[in-house]
Amino acid sequence: MEFKRKLYKRGSSYETTIPMPLLFALDKSRKYNVVFAYDEEANKWYVKFEEMAGGK
């Protein structure tokens, strides 16, 4: 199972409730989708970031 959410800035915070330490490696001038993926075998969720088309 996998679903995506748009990551966007709202005031001084980011929407989609992603903790700031997870965003340290991202270029904040670009736009990203947050992908939440569930691995049923391991019973774990993973978070990935995909740059949106037309990134800036």
Side-chain angles (χ1 to χ4, degrees):
M1 174 174 32
E2 184 175 289
F3 61 94
K4 294 181 183 184
R5 294 290 183 261
K6 182 178 175 184
L7 178 67
Y8 57 94
K9 192 168 184 174
R10 177 182 253 177
S12 62
S13 65
Y14 285 86
E15 218 36 54
T16 308
T17 319
I18 301 296
M20 282 304 290
L22 292 177
L23 304 175
F24 76 95
L26 299 179
D27 180 356
K28 305 233 179 6
S29 67
R30 298 182 181 267
K31 295 184 179 189
Y32 296 91
N33 283 321
V34 181
V35 180
F36 297 92
Y38 180 68
D39 182 357
E40 291 183 29
E41 291 179 20
N43 195 30
K44 292 184 180 182
W45 282 94
Y46 296 93
V47 178
K48 300 183 284 186
F49 299 94
E50 294 179 346
E51 189 171 348
M52 295 172 63
K56 282 196 173 189

